[in-house]
Amino acid sequence: MSQADSAAPARDTWTSGFAFLYSCMASAIGLGSLWRFPYVAGQNGGGAFVILFLVFVLILCVPLMMAEMLIGRRGGGSALLSISSMIRGERAWGAWKAIGWLSLLIPFLGLSYYSVVAGWGLQYIGVAAVHGFDGYATSSGAKFDTLMNSPWRGALLQGGFIAAVALVVALGVQRGIEWVARIKMIGLFVIMIGLVIYGATTLDMGRAAHFLFNPNWSALTPEAILEAFGQALFSTSIGVGMIITYSAYVPNRISLGQASFAINITVALVATLAGLAIFPALFTYAIKPTAGPPLIFVALPAAFDKMPAGRWVGLMFFVMIVLAAFTVAVGMIEPVVAWLKEKSRLGRGPLSFLTAAAIFAVGLPSLLSFSTLKNVHPLAAVPQFASKTFFDLLDFSIANLLLPLNGLLIALFVGWCVKRATVDEELGLKGVAEWGWRLSVMILSPLLVAVLMVSLIFPDTAKALLAHLTPHA
């Protein structure tokens, strides 16, 4: 029995271990894999970056996710209740509660701006369904700017998205989260495989595969190595709080090591398939893979205008984007609702919609960062953030500061503060597997996360130091 069982209210549970797996997969596979991974891989030269990303997922993210699962199942409640329970059980320093608070703050703030991007996906589903992408070949950027300069439309899309997410969470773990996760995973793979087949039969799949899987190690920079690690953390949702929360609903018979391995392998597979779905169109229509963040919403619609059946391909693509974003959003709101359930007599339904309303309100400055507030820079006095809008500031802070920080704290807490007997009981690792897990969680992961954070906060200093340490790069 977990330590929190006596303190926590009656807990939801998954219908099966398989339901836990596909729900975690659905909540980890989102815009990080389908939007961010392709453009980051494109900016860093493809093949060598992709291979490093896969290596980091296997040797660092799998052990880190196991550490998160250990906290969740052992604690048996929300992220904050679970870490508090473990602190008591392990007689650890009370300041480790920061893990719980970060696991609430990160998904709350993250969803406030993540939902803005999801709203763009909804808009493009409407574009494809109503009249297609005619004219986007020459004016895709201008049409995207028009979307971003329409705050009322953006607010309606963002609000509708968050309300739908709240509805699923209100229905509970089995009737809501499991149900929509099952639909998402089936739909995601059907659409993605369809897009890959279309690319292989109609577009330039050969160049795309060569770009993604033929490594040019001589062109790999130290910065790209760190970016591959950062992308691995981002794609697998390490530190968000979702894995801790979902793991509180897992029975002891489920192997956390096998679950973590299966989830991370699936995330890596989907990210790779996303590249195979996107890059053939880019190479066919001479669009540079280094387009950056506008790749999905500017570059690809221009390609859809040119390709055979582009309207329907585009519709499938943006349905896939919104499906991915939706279940990730479910996984981001659930940690907050789970915590509120422990603190309030209100039911899951009212708490879900109250949380959604609060997230929508907090997200309005991010939405307006592309229109009314586009020239407002909240931290203009700080050189590092002088040019960042509300949206930019949240995006940078969550992805580059809070997520790695929480991952670092989780690794240090489980690796150095949790008793070996507790780890053995929850993970059941023996021999080489145990030593490999300990090496990753206690040394490799904290070291790389610390270097990554320093490089993102002080990019010029880090670049000079890396260049000095690896002059051949």
Side-chain angles (χ1 to χ4, degrees), residues 301-320:
F304 294 145
D305 184 16
K306 299 176 182 178
M307 70 175 61
R311 173 181 181 178
W312 305 111
V313 174
L315 177 61
M316 289 175 60
F317 179 81
F318 285 110
V319 166
M320 178 180 72

PDB file of all heavy atoms in Angstrom, residues 301-320:
ATOM      1  N   PRO A 301       1.399  24.952 -45.005  1.00  0.00           N
ATOM      2  CA  PRO A 301       0.221  25.354 -45.777  1.00  0.00           C
ATOM      3  C   PRO A 301       0.563  25.805 -47.193  1.00  0.00           C
ATOM      4  O   PRO A 301      -0.220  25.566 -48.125  1.00  0.00           O
ATOM      5  CB  PRO A 301      -0.368  26.505 -44.951  1.00  0.00           C
ATOM      6  CG  PRO A 301      -0.002  26.164 -43.560  1.00  0.00           C
ATOM      7  CD  PRO A 301       1.388  25.584 -43.669  1.00  0.00           C
ATOM      8  N   ALA A 302       1.744  26.423 -47.368  1.00  0.00           N
ATOM      9  CA  ALA A 302       2.173  26.796 -48.723  1.00  0.00           C
ATOM     10  C   ALA A 302       2.402  25.553 -49.570  1.00  0.00           C
ATOM     11  O   ALA A 302       2.075  25.527 -50.770  1.00  0.00           O
ATOM     12  CB  ALA A 302       3.446  27.637 -48.645  1.00  0.00           C
ATOM     13  N   ALA A 303       2.944  24.496 -48.944  1.00  0.00           N
ATOM     14  CA  ALA A 303       3.146  23.239 -49.673  1.00  0.00           C
ATOM     15  C   ALA A 303       1.817  22.557 -49.969  1.00  0.00           C
ATOM     16  O   ALA A 303       1.628  21.984 -51.053  1.00  0.00           O
ATOM     17  CB  ALA A 303       4.046  22.316 -48.852  1.00  0.00           C
ATOM     18  N   PHE A 304       0.859  22.625 -49.047  1.00  0.00           N
ATOM     19  CA  PHE A 304      -0.442  22.004 -49.272  1.00  0.00           C
ATOM     20  C   PHE A 304      -1.153  22.621 -50.481  1.00  0.00           C
ATOM     21  O   PHE A 304      -1.915  21.942 -51.176  1.00  0.00           O
ATOM     22  CB  PHE A 304      -1.329  22.145 -48.034  1.00  0.00           C
ATOM     23  CG  PHE A 304      -0.843  21.392 -46.831  1.00  0.00           C
ATOM     24  CD1 PHE A 304      -1.027  21.900 -45.547  1.00  0.00           C
ATOM     25  CD2 PHE A 304      -0.190  20.168 -46.972  1.00  0.00           C
ATOM     26  CE1 PHE A 304      -0.576  21.211 -44.441  1.00  0.00           C
ATOM     27  CE2 PHE A 304       0.274  19.473 -45.873  1.00  0.00           C
ATOM     28  CZ  PHE A 304       0.087  19.988 -44.597  1.00  0.00           C
ATOM     29  N   ASP A 305      -0.917  23.889 -50.708  1.00  0.00           N
ATOM     30  CA  ASP A 305      -1.527  24.570 -51.860  1.00  0.00           C
ATOM     31  C   ASP A 305      -1.026  23.980 -53.184  1.00  0.00           C
ATOM     32  O   ASP A 305      -1.750  23.957 -54.181  1.00  0.00           O
ATOM     33  CB  ASP A 305      -1.205  26.065 -51.791  1.00  0.00           C
ATOM     34  CG  ASP A 305      -1.889  26.870 -52.891  1.00  0.00           C
ATOM     35  OD1 ASP A 305      -2.837  26.349 -53.526  1.00  0.00           O
ATOM     36  OD2 ASP A 305      -1.487  28.024 -53.107  1.00  0.00           O
ATOM     37  N   LYS A 306       0.203  23.465 -53.178  1.00  0.00           N
ATOM     38  CA  LYS A 306       0.820  23.000 -54.420  1.00  0.00           C
ATOM     39  C   LYS A 306       0.625  21.506 -54.668  1.00  0.00           C
ATOM     40  O   LYS A 306       0.644  21.063 -55.827  1.00  0.00           O
ATOM     41  CB  LYS A 306       2.323  23.293 -54.387  1.00  0.00           C
ATOM     42  CG  LYS A 306       2.673  24.776 -54.275  1.00  0.00           C
ATOM     43  CD  LYS A 306       4.187  24.942 -54.158  1.00  0.00           C
ATOM     44  CE  LYS A 306       4.583  26.399 -53.994  1.00  0.00           C
ATOM     45  NZ  LYS A 306       6.050  26.557 -53.834  1.00  0.00           N
ATOM     46  N   MET A 307       0.479  20.725 -53.621  1.00  0.00           N
ATOM     47  CA  MET A 307       0.526  19.274 -53.799  1.00  0.00           C
ATOM     48  C   MET A 307      -0.825  18.699 -54.222  1.00  0.00           C
ATOM     49  O   MET A 307      -1.878  19.297 -53.934  1.00  0.00           O
ATOM     50  CB  MET A 307       1.006  18.606 -52.507  1.00  0.00           C
ATOM     51  CG  MET A 307       0.037  18.661 -51.346  1.00  0.00           C
ATOM     52  SD  MET A 307       0.620  17.718 -49.889  1.00  0.00           S
ATOM     53  CE  MET A 307       2.145  18.565 -49.499  1.00  0.00           C
ATOM     54  N   PRO A 308      -0.823  17.567 -54.903  1.00  0.00           N
ATOM     55  CA  PRO A 308      -2.082  16.901 -55.262  1.00  0.00           C
ATOM     56  C   PRO A 308      -2.875  16.549 -54.009  1.00  0.00           C
ATOM     57  O   PRO A 308      -2.318  16.037 -53.035  1.00  0.00           O
ATOM     58  CB  PRO A 308      -1.609  15.637 -55.991  1.00  0.00           C
ATOM     59  CG  PRO A 308      -0.222  15.947 -56.452  1.00  0.00           C
ATOM     60  CD  PRO A 308       0.367  16.857 -55.432  1.00  0.00           C
ATOM     61  N   ALA A 309      -4.169  16.830 -54.026  1.00  0.00           N
ATOM     62  CA  ALA A 309      -5.057  16.574 -52.881  1.00  0.00           C
ATOM     63  C   ALA A 309      -4.568  17.268 -51.619  1.00  0.00           C
ATOM     64  O   ALA A 309      -4.796  16.799 -50.505  1.00  0.00           O
ATOM     65  CB  ALA A 309      -5.203  15.073 -52.639  1.00  0.00           C
ATOM     66  N   GLY A 310      -3.892  18.412 -51.804  1.00  0.00           N
ATOM     67  CA  GLY A 310      -3.304  19.113 -50.668  1.00  0.00           C
ATOM     68  C   GLY A 310      -4.306  19.544 -49.623  1.00  0.00           C
ATOM     69  O   GLY A 310      -3.995  19.584 -48.430  1.00  0.00           O
ATOM     70  N   ARG A 311      -5.538  19.858 -50.065  1.00  0.00           N
ATOM     71  CA  ARG A 311      -6.558  20.272 -49.103  1.00  0.00           C
ATOM     72  C   ARG A 311      -6.838  19.161 -48.094  1.00  0.00           C
ATOM     73  O   ARG A 311      -6.916  19.412 -46.884  1.00  0.00           O
ATOM     74  CB  ARG A 311      -7.839  20.634 -49.853  1.00  0.00           C
ATOM     75  CG  ARG A 311      -9.037  20.914 -48.960  1.00  0.00           C
ATOM     76  CD  ARG A 311     -10.259  21.227 -49.805  1.00  0.00           C
ATOM     77  NE  ARG A 311     -11.421  21.512 -48.983  1.00  0.00           N
ATOM     78  CZ  ARG A 311     -12.607  21.861 -49.465  1.00  0.00           C
ATOM     79  NH1 ARG A 311     -12.766  21.962 -50.786  1.00  0.00           N
ATOM     80  NH2 ARG A 311     -13.624  22.106 -48.661  1.00  0.00           N
ATOM     81  N   TRP A 312      -6.963  17.925 -48.586  1.00  0.00           N
ATOM     82  CA  TRP A 312      -7.299  16.811 -47.715  1.00  0.00           C
ATOM     83  C   TRP A 312      -6.097  16.346 -46.910  1.00  0.00           C
ATOM     84  O   TRP A 312      -6.237  15.921 -45.757  1.00  0.00           O
ATOM     85  CB  TRP A 312      -7.895  15.675 -48.543  1.00  0.00           C
ATOM     86  CG  TRP A 312      -9.058  16.157 -49.346  1.00  0.00           C
ATOM     87  CD1 TRP A 312      -9.137  16.302 -50.699  1.00  0.00           C
ATOM     88  CD2 TRP A 312     -10.318  16.634 -48.828  1.00  0.00           C
ATOM     89  NE1 TRP A 312     -10.350  16.826 -51.069  1.00  0.00           N
ATOM     90  CE2 TRP A 312     -11.099  17.032 -49.942  1.00  0.00           C
ATOM     91  CE3 TRP A 312     -10.845  16.754 -47.550  1.00  0.00           C
ATOM     92  CZ2 TRP A 312     -12.378  17.542 -49.793  1.00  0.00           C
ATOM     93  CZ3 TRP A 312     -12.123  17.262 -47.398  1.00  0.00           C
ATOM     94  CH2 TRP A 312     -12.881  17.646 -48.518  1.00  0.00           C
ATOM     95  N   VAL A 313      -4.914  16.436 -47.513  1.00  0.00           N
ATOM     96  CA  VAL A 313      -3.698  16.123 -46.758  1.00  0.00           C
ATOM     97  C   VAL A 313      -3.535  17.119 -45.615  1.00  0.00           C
ATOM     98  O   VAL A 313      -3.221  16.757 -44.479  1.00  0.00           O
ATOM     99  CB  VAL A 313      -2.467  16.144 -47.682  1.00  0.00           C
ATOM    100  CG1 VAL A 313      -1.186  15.953 -46.865  1.00  0.00           C
ATOM    101  CG2 VAL A 313      -2.574  15.053 -48.745  1.00  0.00           C
ATOM    102  N   GLY A 314      -3.773  18.407 -45.918  1.00  0.00           N
ATOM    103  CA  GLY A 314      -3.678  19.429 -44.891  1.00  0.00           C
ATOM    104  C   GLY A 314      -4.704  19.242 -43.789  1.00  0.00           C
ATOM    105  O   GLY A 314      -4.416  19.436 -42.603  1.00  0.00           O
ATOM    106  N   LEU A 315      -5.914  18.844 -44.172  1.00  0.00           N
ATOM    107  CA  LEU A 315      -6.952  18.598 -43.176  1.00  0.00           C
ATOM    108  C   LEU A 315      -6.528  17.473 -42.236  1.00  0.00           C
ATOM    109  O   LEU A 315      -6.641  17.587 -41.005  1.00  0.00           O
ATOM    110  CB  LEU A 315      -8.262  18.237 -43.872  1.00  0.00           C
ATOM    111  CG  LEU A 315      -9.440  17.877 -42.955  1.00  0.00           C
ATOM    112  CD1 LEU A 315      -9.798  19.056 -42.054  1.00  0.00           C
ATOM    113  CD2 LEU A 315     -10.648  17.443 -43.784  1.00  0.00           C
ATOM    114  N   MET A 316      -6.031  16.369 -42.798  1.00  0.00           N
ATOM    115  CA  MET A 316      -5.560  15.256 -41.977  1.00  0.00           C
ATOM    116  C   MET A 316      -4.427  15.702 -41.061  1.00  0.00           C
ATOM    117  O   MET A 316      -4.383  15.340 -39.875  1.00  0.00           O
ATOM    118  CB  MET A 316      -5.078  14.102 -42.867  1.00  0.00           C
ATOM    119  CG  MET A 316      -6.179  13.360 -43.610  1.00  0.00           C
ATOM    120  SD  MET A 316      -5.487  12.116 -44.736  1.00  0.00           S
ATOM    121  CE  MET A 316      -4.606  11.061 -43.594  1.00  0.00           C
ATOM    122  N   PHE A 317      -3.525  16.503 -41.604  1.00  0.00           N
ATOM    123  CA  PHE A 317      -2.371  16.933 -40.828  1.00  0.00           C
ATOM    124  C   PHE A 317      -2.795  17.768 -39.620  1.00  0.00           C
ATOM    125  O   PHE A 317      -2.346  17.525 -38.489  1.00  0.00           O
ATOM    126  CB  PHE A 317      -1.407  17.726 -41.707  1.00  0.00           C
ATOM    127  CG  PHE A 317      -0.197  18.221 -40.971  1.00  0.00           C
ATOM    128  CD1 PHE A 317       0.877  17.379 -40.731  1.00  0.00           C
ATOM    129  CD2 PHE A 317      -0.144  19.515 -40.485  1.00  0.00           C
ATOM    130  CE1 PHE A 317       1.982  17.822 -40.025  1.00  0.00           C
ATOM    131  CE2 PHE A 317       0.955  19.964 -39.779  1.00  0.00           C
ATOM    132  CZ  PHE A 317       2.017  19.116 -39.559  1.00  0.00           C
ATOM    133  N   PHE A 318      -3.660  18.753 -39.818  1.00  0.00           N
ATOM    134  CA  PHE A 318      -4.036  19.622 -38.711  1.00  0.00           C
ATOM    135  C   PHE A 318      -4.991  18.936 -37.735  1.00  0.00           C
ATOM    136  O   PHE A 318      -5.012  19.270 -36.547  1.00  0.00           O
ATOM    137  CB  PHE A 318      -4.599  20.945 -39.228  1.00  0.00           C
ATOM    138  CG  PHE A 318      -3.525  21.847 -39.760  1.00  0.00           C
ATOM    139  CD1 PHE A 318      -3.414  22.114 -41.116  1.00  0.00           C
ATOM    140  CD2 PHE A 318      -2.601  22.411 -38.898  1.00  0.00           C
ATOM    141  CE1 PHE A 318      -2.410  22.934 -41.606  1.00  0.00           C
ATOM    142  CE2 PHE A 318      -1.577  23.224 -39.373  1.00  0.00           C
ATOM    143  CZ  PHE A 318      -1.480  23.490 -40.728  1.00  0.00           C
ATOM    144  N   VAL A 319      -5.769  17.966 -38.199  1.00  0.00           N
ATOM    145  CA  VAL A 319      -6.528  17.138 -37.261  1.00  0.00           C
ATOM    146  C   VAL A 319      -5.559  16.377 -36.359  1.00  0.00           C
ATOM    147  O   VAL A 319      -5.768  16.268 -35.135  1.00  0.00           O
ATOM    148  CB  VAL A 319      -7.458  16.162 -38.011  1.00  0.00           C
ATOM    149  CG1 VAL A 319      -7.990  15.083 -37.069  1.00  0.00           C
ATOM    150  CG2 VAL A 319      -8.624  16.917 -38.637  1.00  0.00           C
ATOM    151  N   MET A 320      -4.484  15.867 -36.933  1.00  0.00           N
ATOM    152  CA  MET A 320      -3.468  15.169 -36.157  1.00  0.00           C
ATOM    153  C   MET A 320      -2.827  16.107 -35.128  1.00  0.00           C
ATOM    154  O   MET A 320      -2.640  15.731 -33.961  1.00  0.00           O
ATOM    155  CB  MET A 320      -2.392  14.616 -37.096  1.00  0.00           C
ATOM    156  CG  MET A 320      -1.246  13.913 -36.401  1.00  0.00           C
ATOM    157  SD  MET A 320      -0.016  13.278 -37.572  1.00  0.00           S
ATOM    158  CE  MET A 320       0.756  14.821 -38.096  1.00  0.00           C
TER     159      MET A 320
END
